[in-house]
Amino acid sequence: MNSKISLLVAAVVLQSGCATLSGTSDTSKERNDFIDVAAFPDWFQQAMKRESDDETTSVLDIHYYNINTPVKGEITLLYEDERLLNYAIDFGADAPAECYVIYEHSGLSNTLNKLTDVQIATVAENNQKDLVNRLTWALNVGMVTDTPYLSLDTLLTLEADGERVLGMVKSRAAQTNDSLQACFHNSVGYRDSFDAVFESFVSAFTDGETSPEFFENIVTLSLADRTIGYAREKYTLDADGDIAGTKDTALLIPVDPGNLMSSDSKVLSWARTDGTLINQFNTSVDNGELSSRYLIQNDGAQWQVEGELQKKPVAATLDYQGPLVSDYGHYLKYVDLLNSEAPELSVYGWVAEADPTSAMEIRLQKADAADHNMVMYAGPLTVNFIANEDGTSETGSLTQGPVVFSYQKIYQKGEPQLP
C-alpha cells in the first residue's frame, strides 16, 4: 500500500495551503455528502477537486472467471490465495487504488465496512500517527450497468507529536454473480477518477455474465433522507416451471458521525407461478456476525420453520396451514387490487422480520394520496407506495414504530409477470 505517500500529500496541503493538481473537476455527480466541503479552507476544497487525466489501460487476466479484459489504469497482481485476489491499480493519482476479488464473504456491506477499517488502520500505522477522529464524508449507491455498488468516503484526522494531518479513504464494493469486488483509494480528491477505475474493474466481471431472469428490480434505501444502501430482486423460471427468486439487501447505517453499522440479508425463495410460496431461506449478517437464519417449508400438511436468531435455535409449526404469498406473489396481488373495484384485499404471508414463528395477515389497501396509491399493512410494518400497472413501484416508504425507511427505484428489467 502507498497510504503513507498519499497522506503526506494531504499533510502538505494542510500545512502549505496548496497542492499540485493534475486536473480538477466541478463534478455534478450526486454524491450525497454528509459534510459540506465549503466549510473547509479553499486549499482543501481545491485538493478535493483533484482528478487524474491518465488514460492508461491494461489487461485484467483471471483464468478462473474466463476474464481477459482491458481495465482503466495499470493493474498489478499483489497477492492471491484460495480466498481472494489483491491488485494495485495505478491511474495517475498520487497513490494507486487497491482492489480485491473475494470468493467467499459475509455480505457486501459487512465486507466493505471491515476492509475500510483495515485501510484506516493501515494509513495510521504507515504514517506512524494515531487516529484521533474519523467522519463519514459520503455514503451512496452507484450502478455499473445493472450491478449496484456501495460507495463510502471517510475523512481521517491523524496526529503525532502535535502534528495533525487529514486523509481520506474512499471505498467501493459490488457483488457480481460469482464474487465480490472491492476497491479502495487512500488520498484526498480523485473521486470521479477512482469511480471510473472501480467501475471499469467491476465491468470486467459483469460483461460476460448471463442474465436468465425475466424480472429484476433494484431500489436504493434511505433513512432520514440519507442513502444507506440498496435492495436487489431477481426472478427466473426454473427447470420445474417454478419461480426462483433471490433478494439481496446491503446497508451501511450511521450510528454516529464516524461509524457505521453493516447489515446484509439474502432471501432465496421458490414459488408457484400463481405467486404462492413453496419454500424460502433467509439469512442476515449484522456487523460481521450471523444474526438470523431461517428455512420455511411445507411438509405436505404443515408449514415448518427452523433456524436461529441471535445464536439461539428457532423451531416452529405455523398455526396457519393455507397458502402463503411469496415475495414474487406480492407483485401479482398489487395488480389484482389495482384492476379490481375492491378497496382492499387480504392474503397471508410469512414476514421473518416481524415474526418468524407465525403466518401474518397482509392487508393491501388502495389510497388516494400525493405520494402513494397503495398501503400494505403487515403486523408492525406499514408500507406506503406508488404501484404501477405492472405491480412495480417507483418510490415508497416503510414504517416500523418511529423508524421510517424510504426507497427509490433505480433499475428495472422486465416485468413481474411471465411472458
Side-chain angles (χ1 to χ4, degrees):
M1 300 181 189
N2 289 297
S3 309
K4 187 169 184 176
I5 296 174
S6 63
L7 196 61
L8 288 177
V9 171
V12 171
V13 171
L14 285 173
Q15 293 166 0
S16 67
C18 64
T20 301
L21 308 182
S22 58
T24 62
S25 171
D26 290 315
T27 176
S28 60
K29 184 174 184 178
E30 184 178 359
R31 291 287 180 184
N32 292 320
D33 288 350
F34 288 18
I35 301 172
D36 187 356
V37 71
F40 288 75
D42 181 67
W43 41 264
F44 184 81
Q45 296 181 43
Q46 293 302 312
M48 283 292 290
K49 293 179 180 179
R50 293 187 297 174
E51 298 292 348
S52 170
D53 55 9
D54 191 333
E55 297 183 358
T56 300
T57 61
S58 55
V59 175
L60 175 62
D61 187 5
I62 307 176
H63 180 73
Y64 180 78
Y65 291 119
N66 196 29
I67 291 174
N68 187 262
T69 305
V71 296
K72 290 183 179 294
E74 185 64 40
I75 191 165
T76 303
L77 178 64
L78 300 178
Y79 175 79
E80 65 177 315
D81 61 23
E82 68 279 1
R83 300 170 303 162
L84 59 83
L85 299 168
N86 180 204
Y87 296 92
I89 303 180
D90 184 351
F91 62 99
D94 58 10
E98 186 169 3
C99 293
Y100 295 85
V101 180
I102 304 172
Y103 306 139
E104 297 181 3
H105 54 87
S106 58
L108 188 146
S109 72
N110 281 275
T111 302
L112 184 66
N113 209 22
K114 180 179 179 179
L115 289 179
T116 297
D117 287 345
V118 171
Q119 293 285 322
I120 291 171
T122 300
V123 170
E125 179 182 355
N126 287 355
N127 287 273
Q128 298 180 346
K129 296 182 185 297
D130 296 325
L131 176 67
V132 296
N133 195 27
R134 61 183 283 178
L135 295 171
T136 300
W137 185 282
L139 177 58
N140 206 359
V141 172
M143 291 285 291
V144 181
T145 314
D146 61 349
T147 300
Y149 67 86
L150 287 183
S151 168
L152 171 65
D153 294 349
T154 308
L155 180 69
L156 313 178
T157 304
L158 304 183
E159 183 177 23
D161 300 325
E163 178 191 43
R164 285 198 171 193
V165 297
L166 293 183
M168 183 169 286
V169 172
K170 298 184 290 295
S171 312
R172 311 285 185 265
Q175 185 173 346
T176 54
N177 283 349
D178 297 316
S179 62
L180 185 147
Q181 297 80 44
C183 291
F184 304 88
H185 188 229
N186 302 328
S187 186
V188 177
Y190 303 104
R191 300 173 88 186
D192 286 354
S193 302
F194 175 58
D195 281 352
V197 168
F198 171 73
E199 291 173 5
S200 172
F201 186 72
V202 174
S203 292
F205 294 83
T206 61
D207 286 350
E209 284 187 336
T210 57
S211 300
E213 61 274 357
F214 64 87
F215 173 60
E216 180 178 4
N217 193 58
I218 302 173
V219 300
T220 59
L221 299 168
S222 299
L223 180 64
D225 296 325
R226 293 290 191 185
T227 301
I228 58 171
Y230 70 83
R232 171 174 54 182
E233 294 177 281
K234 292 183 178 183
Y235 295 98
T236 62
L237 190 66
D238 70 12
D240 297 324
D242 297 319
I243 306 297
T246 62
K247 183 175 181 179
D248 296 286
T249 303
L251 303 176
L252 288 172
I253 305 171
V255 294
D256 60 42
N259 293 284
L260 302 162
M261 171 189 170
S262 53
S263 180
D264 291 287
S265 64
K266 188 176 188 69
V267 177
L268 302 176
S269 64
W270 280 264
R272 301 172 186 86
T273 54
D274 65 359
T276 55
L277 184 67
I278 298 173
N279 54 55
Q280 184 170 309
F281 183 63
N282 292 31
T283 58
S284 295
V285 178
D286 297 322
N287 292 329
E289 297 288 336
L290 178 68
S291 56
S292 65
R293 174 183 57 82
Y294 306 112
L295 170 66
I296 182 170
Q297 56 188 344
N298 198 302
D299 62 7
Q302 297 176 310
W303 287 104
Q304 304 285 348
V305 177
E306 60 180 27
E308 62 181 278
L309 173 63
Q310 304 297 338
K311 299 183 179 180
K312 295 181 179 180
V314 172
T317 299
L318 304 192
D319 292 335
Y320 175 83
Q321 293 306 320
L324 297 175
V325 67
S326 65
D327 286 345
Y328 171 73
H330 278 93
Y331 290 105
L332 305 184
K333 294 302 179 183
Y334 302 153
V335 172
D336 287 347
L337 182 56
L338 287 173
N339 291 336
S340 76
E341 297 296 327
E344 63 178 66
L345 66 79
S346 293
V347 295
Y348 274 84
W350 182 67
V351 185
E353 298 84 355
D355 182 359
T357 63
S358 66
M360 183 171 295
E361 183 182 18
I362 299 172
R363 188 160 56 94
L364 304 177
Q365 188 177 81
K366 291 178 180 177
D368 185 16
D371 61 349
H372 63 279
N373 64 358
M374 192 171 292
V375 183
M376 181 180 76
Y377 301 98
L381 307 176
T382 300
V383 184
N384 298 322
F385 59 99
I386 298 175
N388 298 321
E389 291 182 358
D390 63 359
T392 61
S393 174
E394 302 298 320
T395 61
S397 64
L398 183 152
T399 302
Q400 183 173 8
V403 180
V404 180
F405 291 93
S406 60
Y407 67 84
Q408 174 74 50
K409 182 166 67 181
I410 57 174
Y411 178 83
Q412 179 178 332
K413 170 190 172 182
E415 296 181 346
Q417 286 85 31
L418 290 171

